[in-house]
Amino acid sequence: MTLHVNDISKSYSNNPVLDQVQLTIEPGEFIALLGPSGSGKTTLLRIIAGLQFADSGSLWFDQIDMTAMQARERQFGMVFQNYALFEHMSVADNVAFGLKMRSGKTRPSKKEIAKRVTNLLEMAEISHLADRFPSQLSGGQRQRVALTRALAIEPRLLLLDEPFSALDTKVRKGLRKSLRDLQRNVGIAAILVTHDQEEALEMADRIAVMNDGRIEQFDTATNLLRNPATPFVADFLEGLSNYMTEGAGI
Ligand code: ADP
Ligand code: MG
C-alpha cells in the first residue's frame, strides 16, 4: 500500500506550521522527516496518524481516503519518545494488548496471540524480558517493548516520533539497527521523525528535509548530499558526506 500525502497545510492561530506538504511513501519504505526543532515534523506525523487534522489537503492510502478518518480506524502503529507502557502489565501482556483488544472476528485465538507474541519478542531480542514489568526495564528496553507492541497489531504503517532521543548514544545505535531489522522483517513502511542528521542518513531509504513547515527536498541520502536542492539542505547536512551510501546504511 502506498501512502499519499497531498498538499497538507496547517496553521495555529494564523501561524502557518505546515505549508502544502507533499509526500509519497511506498510499500516497505523507511522514510525520515528530518529538520530542526519547530519545523513541523511532529505536526505532520500527528496529522498522518489522525491525532490532528489538517486545514487543507488530503491523505490517501492506495484508494482509501483517510483524510477524515479517526486514528484508530487507520490501524497505524505508533512509538513516541516517552511512550507509556502499561505499568501494571508484564512485557508479554503489553505486547499482546492490542491483539486482545480486537473486536470479534478479527481477534486471534488465545493460542495464536501467545504464538505471535513469542515470535515478536524473539525478533526484538527481548524474550528474556517477557515476564518483567516496565518498572524493571532500562530506557532502551522500554523502547524495544514499545516498538514490539506497536508492531504486534500488524499495523499498515509504523510512525515513530524521536523514539530514541532520550537514550544514550550506545543504546540508541543498537536500537536503530534493531528497528531497521524488525521493520524489514515485518515488511511494513515506516516514517521516522528526527532532528538528528546522522540518524536519518543512516536509517532511511528517503529523507524529507523540513524547514519552516515546508519540505525542502525529499530524496535519498546520496542525492541530498550530492545535489542539495536548496542552500538550507546543503547547510543542514554539511560535513556528513561520509554517509553517502546506496540506500540505507544500516
Ligand atoms: P517539530 O516536531 O519539528 O519540532 P512541531 O510540529 O512540534 O515541530 O511544531 C511546529 C510549530 O508549530 C512550532 O512553531 C510549534 O510551536 C507550533 N505548534 C505545534 N503545536 C502547536 C499547538 N498545539 N498550538 C500552537 N502552536 C503549535
Ligand atoms: Mg517534534
Side-chain angles (χ1 to χ4, degrees):
M1 300 251 258
T2 302
L3 179 77
H4 299 271
V5 176
N6 302 322
D7 290 331
I8 293 285
S9 295
K10 174 85 180 168
S11 297
Y12 288 113
S13 41
N14 286 331
N15 286 328
V17 169
L18 293 174
D19 181 14
Q20 303 213 307
V21 169
Q22 210 153 344
L23 273 181
T24 310
I25 295 119
E26 304 293 341
E29 210 179 10
F30 194 107
I31 296 292
L33 303 179
L34 171 68
S37 178
S39 54
K41 307 181 296 294
T42 292
T43 305
L44 178 57
L45 198 77
R46 289 176 58 86
I47 288 171
I48 292 172
L51 299 170
Q52 263 171 259
F53 293 89
D55 299 333
S56 60
S58 64
L59 285 168
W60 289 77
F61 213 51
D62 280 351
Q63 315 309 328
I64 309 167
D65 185 355
M66 291 204 161
T67 315
M69 222 182 242
Q70 295 297 319
R72 58 184 312 238
E73 288 178 78
R74 297 187 190 197
Q75 295 170 35
F76 293 166
M78 285 175 252
V79 182
F80 302 112
Q81 185 181 329
N82 297 305
Y83 198 70
L85 296 172
F86 301 119
E87 297 291 329
H88 61 289
M89 283 184 202
S90 70
V91 164
D93 287 339
N94 264 278
V95 173
F97 182 79
L99 293 170
K100 286 186 181 161
M101 284 302 112
R102 282 215 183 137
S103 59
K105 268 192 249 161
T106 62
R107 186 172 56 235
S109 70
K110 261 192 180 164
K111 212 170 139 189
E112 280 170 62
I113 291 177
K115 193 172 152 206
R116 198 180 296 174
V117 169
T118 303
N119 282 343
L120 277 163
L121 293 178
E122 223 164 83
M123 274 207 283
E125 299 174 336
I126 49 174
S127 302
H128 60 295
L129 304 176
D131 298 326
R132 287 213 206 157
F133 286 84
S135 60
Q136 301 167 314
L137 303 175
S138 69
Q141 289 170 334
R142 289 176 74 98
Q143 285 306 67
R144 243 174 229 273
V145 175
L147 190 59
T148 312
R149 188 170 79 168
L151 289 170
I153 57 160
E154 298 182 319
R156 301 202 257 206
L157 182 67
L158 183 61
L159 304 176
L160 308 132
D161 192 350
E162 313 255 10
F164 311 138
S165 57
L167 307 170
D168 60 55
T169 312
K170 199 172 155 224
V171 175
R172 202 157 63 213
K173 292 215 156 148
L175 266 175
R176 283 181 195 165
K177 179 155 173 17
S178 297
L179 164 58
R180 228 12 202 126
D181 290 347
L182 266 172
Q183 179 261 341
R184 280 207 189 96
N185 271 335
V186 179
I188 59 163
I191 305 178
L192 171 77
V193 160
T194 180
H195 64 272
D196 182 330
Q197 291 94 330
E198 288 186 14
E199 187 162 282
L201 293 169
E202 215 173 284
M203 294 190 74
D205 298 314
R206 287 192 296 161
I207 300 162
V209 180
M210 293 189 66
N211 176 31
D212 223 1
R214 276 172 292 108
I215 292 181
E216 299 255 340
Q217 190 171 357
F218 182 35
D219 218 328
T220 60
T222 303
N223 286 342
L224 288 170
L225 293 165
R226 205 171 270 161
N227 303 307
T230 65
F232 177 85
V233 174
D235 192 46
F236 197 62
L237 298 178
E238 206 192 335
L240 291 158
S241 53
N242 50 321
Y243 284 91
M244 219 178 284
T245 52
E246 293 306 319
I250 293 186

